Amino acid sequence: MSPMPDRLDFSHDAGLRSWVASANAPDCDFPIQNLPVGVFRRAGSREGFRPGVAIGDQVVDLLAMRDAGLLPPEVAASLIGCERGELNAFMAQGRAARVALRHALSRSLLEGSAHQARLQPWLLVQAGAEYAVPCRIGDYTDFYTGIHHATAVGKLFRPDEPLLPNYKWVPIGYHGRSSSIGVSGQCFARPRGQTKGPNEAVPLLRPSHRLDYELELGVFVGQGNAPGEPIPIADAEGHAFGLVLLNDWSARDVQGWEYQPLGPFLAKSFATTLSPWIVTMEALAPFRAPFSRPPGDPQPLPYLDSEGNRAAGQIDVALEVLIQTQAMRDAGALPQRLSQSSYLGAYWTVAQMITHHTVNGCNLQPGDLLGTGTQSGPQPAQAGSLLELTAGGKNPLRLANGESRTFLQDGDAITLRGHCERSGFRRIGFGDCQGQVLAARV
Amino acid sequence: MSPMPDRLDFSHDAGLRSWVASANAPDCDFPIQNLPVGVFRRAGSREGFRPGVAIGDQVVDLLAMRDAGLLPPEVAASLIGCERGELNAFMAQGRAARVALRHALSRSLLEGSAHQARLQPWLLVQAGAEYAVPCRIGDYTDFYTGIHHATAVGKLFRPDEPLLPNYKWVPIGYHGRSSSIGVSGQCFARPRGQTKGPNEAVPLLRPSHRLDYELELGVFVGQGNAPGEPIPIADAEGHAFGLVLLNDWSARDVQGWEYQPLGPFLAKSFATTLSPWIVTMEALAPFRAPFSRPPGDPQPLPYLDSEGNRAAGQIDVALEVLIQTQAMRDAGALPQRLSQSSYLGAYWTVAQMITHHTVNGCNLQPGDLLGTGTQSGPQPAQAGSLLELTAGGKNPLRLANGESRTFLQDGDAITLRGHCERSGFRRIGFGDCQGQVLAARV
């Protein structure tokens, strides 16, 4: 694993421009250096979802590009099995297939490409598209790698010992619910659940009144591993396909009553929202950073340690959360930022999550999803959840329009955003991960 | 929901006999009154798995039966989509499709049936067949409905308060790992994991030395529900397809170190073993029993209570666990019984698990699997795990051949068995759920 792109790989050259003009705007999430993959269809249509790639404010239809003869044969072949809008078959092929697609798209979308005239008809403006979860997610695992989040949340319950003794040794994770994962634009009714107030004798079934978001990244698995064959850390990054933004909506009051002794269940399983575009490991290559432990912390056990992980295990993704309440929408006001953070603070890396997950022989499969856990920054204002920003609901947040929030209210829409920038490289972004809370079902 | 089969349903008549002679033996698990479904192929072949039904010591090939014109058109149509050995499309059709298949098979397999000559060539002896997980399991949830297990395990950690305050209110459950679920015959290497002994300063990665089984049943979901649309308890049984035996293999030492605060993860995700035949809700109909709470316990909250659930929410399945060590195999000795128990002791019913799972809007999908949790009986000797039978490893079990066990040793094979019997009805069984521990991978 290298922090810098392959020297033969021209695709990160900051000077590259696309004939899709919108891709060249400096703040565009999807320049020709990004080329994230997803599945899409024309908004409101009954068509099946199809594989696509984002460029500027457009989507490239990969199957149409293939059928028009604009993809090299081996790239065309790598998309077999993805026709129904599930990318698992492509994901299973690992890095070589991703790189080949990336290079083919770079060539076709480059300013001056001979493909422009034939490809132009197969672009769809993103504003006219809708998306789906880009693959069949066989299993979804949510980790807990945000140490600032774990510390802040732990403090609410255990002021003297916020981090449990295992935190700095084990990449803590738990199995999540796959069926209720959706993409940006997901709306869901406020969940009901059993909750019991501190002064109540018995629990009641009622709508959650401590509904929250969690700012996470998601890692899609590319190539899997066979049962009983753990993935050594030196090989782990080879099994990562790419990253998305992930909102792990959480009903804190449901969680507080249900989670002992087996962990979160209905507090999380009603909805999880992803950004629709998977930013590949190749696009992220320039934004890798060293991984190390703070002085005094234990070093990772040998199976979680490698030279490559130390040199460039981290990924520098700037993150932010925005809210738009119903009152803001009614007044035509833009979403307001709630916090900013970074993925650089993760206590465990992508490679460590993958290796730890398989060390017991558990098999990962192409399309499996790993959540990173909430990525709060070290400062209280950098928190990735309302639980932290409001100290468990004790300190309401004042919004610019005069409203205040402890937890989410009906109509609130939350948007996660993320981007990578580094001097000498073109900025890339993740697009929006937006979801909205509707009133509880009567 | 009725504790008795439909009066128009002849398929439970205890006098019914099949022309498959082995089905008429009194101790046979698969008489004509059972007719469980699964997927199979000839052992050792490279064929695809195909839908089948167990009868006596034989398997009926459902696609061959269809192609031979021996299934009514609507039954033949209900199998469309199952050709590749995944029954999800059939499961999604709910009770009516199951009943139609059951009746068609009853007629064809009945002593004197005109179909005998044409069907006979499409039987395969079970000893010559191998099986797979019968559907794509989108999500697997493991509940904790065995109150005697929860109490016994809780006592090991909290002698004064073995059951947590939420246990009698919330059907506790957690998300499990789908990818590592296998069928009877599953062999797996002893998992490695981080463990830390009470006198050790730091954890180490090593093979689990407290490896255990758990005696559970699994409930397959038939028809699902849409996101945001909870399943009321009165409708819940209509979403259950049928039951299997389930061994929730557990690495107790891994679990002890990793499970705070988010629950079991790698302690369970290396393997889970199912019996290959799904015993349908229709076959189980005569063995239903009333559900009630012991005096002094809280009544279920209204959303978990219904007349039907009270009248017949329980299912009377007799359960047992057997062990065969390597030494027993070498000596030609049969497996030895470790304990006997019953599903009647479950604190929460199938309907309550389904309704609770969806009350927050979570969507269940056809083929999802719900584990019941370990079904230990009220007496210590009726425990469904070694953790309980040996008091956490303190009291080794003495086996008949002179060996002893605290936890599982390499080469140990565990078999779960289950059956239903009731006066006036034909006994039905689940077949074996067997799995074996191999040595840890070097």
Side-chain angles (χ1 to χ4, degrees):
Chain A
M1 184 175 49
S2 158
M4 297 288 295
D6 190 318
R7 296 192 65 183
L8 296 175
D9 179 359
F10 67 94
S11 64
H12 283 293
D13 184 331
L16 290 187
R17 292 170 57 86
S18 173
W19 52 261
V20 179
S22 57
N24 304 321
D27 60 347
C28 175
D29 276 354
F30 307 122
I32 195 168
Q33 291 82 356
N34 192 347
L35 301 174
V37 298
V39 304
F40 77 102
R41 66 180 178 192
R42 282 182 298 146
S45 75
R46 300 282 80 197
E47 300 162 4
F49 287 93
R50 305 161 64 85
V53 167
I55 178 76
D57 62 2
Q58 307 285 317
V59 184
V60 181
D61 183 332
L62 287 181
L63 298 184
M65 197 175 165
R66 177 191 70 182
D67 297 344
L70 296 174
L71 290 176
E74 77 278 10
V75 175
S78 74
L79 296 171
I80 292 172
C82 302
E83 293 79 2
R84 293 173 167 202
E86 291 183 339
L87 298 179
N88 301 71
F90 178 70
M91 298 167 93
Q93 295 167 61
R95 183 173 187 275
R98 289 197 308 273
V99 169
L101 175 64
R102 178 177 179 81
H103 286 187
L105 287 163
S106 289
R107 281 190 297 270
S108 292
L109 292 167
L110 205 59
E111 214 166 48
S113 167
H115 287 179
Q116 177 172 355
R118 288 162 69 202
L119 189 47
Q120 191 104 52
W122 301 113
L123 297 185
L124 176 67
V125 65
Q126 285 166 24
E130 62 187 24
Y131 307 98
V133 174
C135 57
R136 184 171 27 76
I137 301 173
D139 280 289
Y140 159 45
T141 301
D142 201 13
F143 282 88
Y144 198 51
T145 74
I147 190 169
H148 306 303
H149 170 75
T151 306
V153 171
K155 246 179 214 154
L156 297 175
F157 301 101
R158 300 173 302 272
D160 298 336
E161 194 207 16
L163 276 186
L164 292 168
N166 57 6
Y167 188 88
K168 293 184 177 178
W169 296 98
V170 185
I172 297 289
Y174 70 103
H175 307 297
R177 179 81 194 174
S178 296
S179 71
S180 51
I181 297 175
V183 287
S184 189
Q186 187 174 26
C187 295
F188 59 89
R190 177 180 297 273
R192 296 191 305 164
Q194 277 195 38
T195 60
K196 188 171 104 52
N199 302 318
E200 294 176 337
V202 301
L204 288 175
L205 180 73
R206 53 194 152 190
S208 168
H209 66 279
R210 290 166 70 86
L211 185 61
D212 204 352
Y213 60 84
E214 290 195 339
L215 170 62
E216 304 195 15
L217 286 156
V219 182
F220 274 108
V221 172
Q223 286 180 313
N225 62 304
E229 296 189 6
I231 299 174
I233 186 135
D235 301 340
E237 286 244 350
H239 294 263
F241 183 89
L243 268 58
V244 292
L245 300 168
L246 186 157
N247 187 341
D248 178 28
W249 305 95
S250 299
R252 306 293 181 191
D253 40 2
V254 174
Q255 189 172 347
W257 173 237
E258 77 170 2
Y259 92 109
Q260 288 287 10
L262 300 181
F265 178 41
L266 300 190
K268 306 269 196 175
S269 65
F270 53 92
T272 303
T273 309
L274 306 180
S275 54
W277 297 110
I278 312 177
V279 177
T280 64
M281 298 309 284
E282 289 68 44
L284 295 166
F287 309 103
R288 306 305 298 255
F291 164 87
S292 66
R293 284 281 177 254
D297 276 13
Q299 292 302 310
L301 290 183
Y303 79 101
L304 295 174
D305 189 25
S306 77
E307 198 177 327
N309 192 59
R310 270 176 269 132
Q314 296 283 27
I315 309 175
D316 186 1
V317 186
L319 299 166
E320 63 177 332
V321 185
L322 302 100
I323 191 170
Q324 191 182 42
T325 68
Q326 188 61 50
M328 291 179 189
R329 252 190 315 278
D330 292 345
L334 290 175
Q336 175 182 340
R337 184 189 292 151
L338 289 174
S339 69
Q340 284 181 291
S341 173
S342 163
Y343 185 39
L344 269 186
Y347 200 78
W348 301 101
T349 65
V350 170
Q352 288 169 327
M353 288 193 284
I354 288 172
T355 292
H356 182 66
H357 204 314
T358 63
V359 72
N360 68 343
C362 180
N363 53 320
L364 300 180
Q365 297 181 312
D368 282 354
L369 178 65
L370 315 180
T372 62
T374 309
Q375 297 300 311
S376 300
Q379 302 305 319
Q382 298 169 325
S385 71
L386 287 173
L387 182 71
E388 297 160 82
L389 288 174
T390 68
K394 286 198 289 287
N395 306 328
L397 267 187
R398 183 62 89 175
L399 302 179
N401 68 350
E403 289 185 280
S404 71
R405 286 291 180 278
T406 49
F407 291 96
L408 295 171
Q409 295 194 5
D410 294 347
D412 286 354
I414 293 292
T415 300
L416 312 184
R417 288 190 188 140
H419 73 273
C420 303
E421 53 191 339
R422 176 180 166 197
S423 172
F425 288 86
R426 185 66 164 71
R427 174 196 186 282
I428 64 169
F430 282 74
D432 282 5
C433 174
Q434 191 259 17
Q436 189 179 356
V437 183
L438 307 179
R441 208 162 163 273
V442 184
Chain B
M1 182 174 50
S2 157
M4 297 289 295
D6 189 319
R7 294 192 65 184
L8 295 175
D9 178 359
F10 67 92
S11 64
H12 282 292
D13 185 331
L16 289 187
R17 293 168 58 85
S18 173
W19 52 261
V20 179
S22 57
N24 304 320
D27 60 348
C28 174
D29 276 354
F30 307 122
I32 195 168
Q33 290 82 357
N34 193 347
L35 301 174
V37 298
V39 303
F40 77 102
R41 67 180 178 192
R42 282 182 300 147
S45 75
R46 301 281 81 195
E47 300 161 5
F49 287 94
R50 306 160 64 85
V53 166
I55 178 77
D57 62 2
Q58 307 285 316
V59 185
V60 181
D61 182 332
L62 286 180
L63 298 184
M65 197 174 164
R66 177 190 70 183
D67 297 344
L70 296 174
L71 290 176
E74 78 278 10
V75 175
S78 73
L79 296 171
I80 292 173
C82 301
E83 292 80 2
R84 291 172 168 206
E86 291 183 339
L87 298 179
N88 301 71
F90 177 70
M91 298 168 92
Q93 296 167 59
R95 182 171 188 277
R98 289 197 308 272
V99 169
L101 175 64
R102 178 177 178 81
H103 286 186
L105 286 163
S106 289
R107 282 189 296 272
S108 292
L109 291 166
L110 206 58
E111 215 166 46
S113 166
H115 287 178
Q116 177 173 355
R118 288 161 69 201
L119 189 47
Q120 189 104 52
W122 301 113
L123 297 185
L124 175 68
V125 66
Q126 285 166 25
E130 62 188 23
Y131 306 98
V133 174
C135 58
R136 185 172 26 76
I137 300 172
D139 280 289
Y140 159 45
T141 301
D142 201 13
F143 281 89
Y144 198 52
T145 73
I147 191 169
H148 306 302
H149 171 73
T151 306
V153 171
K155 244 178 216 159
L156 297 174
F157 300 102
R158 299 173 303 274
D160 297 337
E161 196 207 14
L163 276 187
L164 292 167
N166 57 6
Y167 188 86
K168 293 184 176 178
W169 297 97
V170 185
I172 297 289
Y174 70 104
H175 308 296
R177 179 81 194 174
S178 296
S179 71
S180 51
I181 298 175
V183 287
S184 190
Q186 187 173 27
C187 296
F188 59 90
R190 177 180 296 273
R192 294 192 307 164
Q194 275 195 38
T195 60
K196 189 170 105 52
N199 302 318
E200 294 176 335
V202 301
L204 287 175
L205 180 72
R206 53 193 152 189
S208 168
H209 65 279
R210 289 166 70 88
L211 185 62
D212 203 353
Y213 59 84
E214 290 194 340
L215 170 62
E216 303 195 15
L217 286 156
V219 182
F220 274 107
V221 172
Q223 285 180 313
N225 62 305
E229 297 188 7
I231 299 174
I233 187 137
D235 301 342
E237 286 244 351
H239 294 263
F241 183 89
L243 268 57
V244 292
L245 300 168
L246 186 158
N247 187 341
D248 178 27
W249 305 95
S250 299
R252 306 293 181 192
D253 40 2
V254 174
Q255 189 171 349
W257 174 237
E258 77 170 2
Y259 92 109
Q260 288 288 9
L262 300 181
F265 178 40
L266 300 190
K268 305 269 196 176
S269 64
F270 53 91
T272 303
T273 309
L274 306 180
S275 53
W277 297 110
I278 312 177
V279 178
T280 64
M281 298 310 284
E282 289 69 43
L284 294 166
F287 310 103
R288 306 304 298 255
F291 165 86
S292 66
R293 284 278 177 253
D297 276 12
Q299 291 303 308
L301 290 183
Y303 79 100
L304 294 174
D305 188 27
S306 77
E307 197 178 327
N309 192 58
R310 269 176 268 131
Q314 297 282 28
I315 309 176
D316 187 0
V317 185
L319 299 166
E320 63 176 333
V321 185
L322 304 98
I323 191 170
Q324 190 181 45
T325 68
Q326 188 61 50
M328 291 178 188
R329 253 189 315 278
D330 292 345
L334 290 176
Q336 176 182 340
R337 184 189 291 151
L338 289 174
S339 69
Q340 284 180 291
S341 173
S342 163
Y343 186 39
L344 269 185
Y347 200 77
W348 301 101
T349 65
V350 170
Q352 287 169 327
M353 289 193 284
I354 288 173
T355 291
H356 182 66
H357 204 315
T358 63
V359 72
N360 68 342
C362 180
N363 53 320
L364 300 180
Q365 296 181 312
D368 282 354
L369 179 65
L370 315 180
T372 61
T374 309
Q375 298 300 312
S376 300
Q379 302 305 319
Q382 297 169 326
S385 71
L386 287 173
L387 183 70
E388 296 159 83
L389 288 174
T390 69
K394 286 198 289 287
N395 306 327
L397 267 186
R398 182 63 86 175
L399 302 179
N401 69 351
E403 288 185 280
S404 70
R405 285 291 179 278
T406 49
F407 291 96
L408 295 171
Q409 295 195 5
D410 294 347
D412 286 355
I414 293 292
T415 300
L416 312 184
R417 288 191 187 138
H419 73 273
C420 302
E421 52 191 340
R422 175 180 167 196
S423 173
F425 289 85
R426 185 64 165 74
R427 174 195 184 281
I428 64 170
F430 282 74
D432 282 4
C433 174
Q434 192 259 15
Q436 189 180 354
V437 184
L438 307 179
R441 207 161 163 273
V442 184

